[in-house]
């Protein structure tokens, strides 16, 4: 599983926006469907809320990818 550090630009990013920003989902619709199918895991637990706010310290896993959320610089 490849791991990426994702630096926030503000206080948080939503789960669907993260999937689009990392390129793991090609569109908002794809992100929404993948999340609804339970393919996203946040901090070790399946997450089905596309608007889930991700903050520094959270870890997201999706289809063989992992992103560690980092605080804004």
């Amino acid at each position: 599983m490849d791991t990426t550090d994702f630096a926030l630009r503000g206080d948080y990013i939503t789960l669907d926006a993260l999937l689009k920003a990392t390129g793991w989902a090609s569109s908002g619709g794809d992100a929404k469907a993948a999340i609804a199918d339970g393919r996203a895991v946040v901090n070790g637990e399946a997450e089905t809320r596309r608007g889930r706010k991700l903050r520094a310290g959270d870890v997201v896993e999706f289809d063989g990818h992992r992103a560690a959320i980092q605080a804004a610089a």
Side-chain angles (χ1 to χ4, degrees):
M1 183 174 298
D2 66 331
T3 301
T4 303
D5 287 336
F6 186 86
L8 292 171
R9 293 190 176 137
D11 293 334
Y12 67 88
I13 186 170
T14 59
L15 181 56
D16 61 339
L18 175 76
L19 297 185
K20 291 186 296 183
T22 56
W24 299 346
S26 59
S27 69
D30 286 346
K32 180 180 178 181
I35 294 166
D37 288 344
R39 291 170 40 201
V41 175
V42 178
N43 300 327
E45 296 185 18
E47 180 58 71
T48 57
R49 297 173 294 163
R50 66 186 176 106
R52 162 74 185 263
K53 292 179 181 177
L54 304 169
R55 300 180 190 279
D58 286 336
V59 176
V60 177
E61 297 177 17
F62 180 78
D63 288 354
H65 304 283
R66 177 180 291 148
I69 310 302
Q70 306 293 321

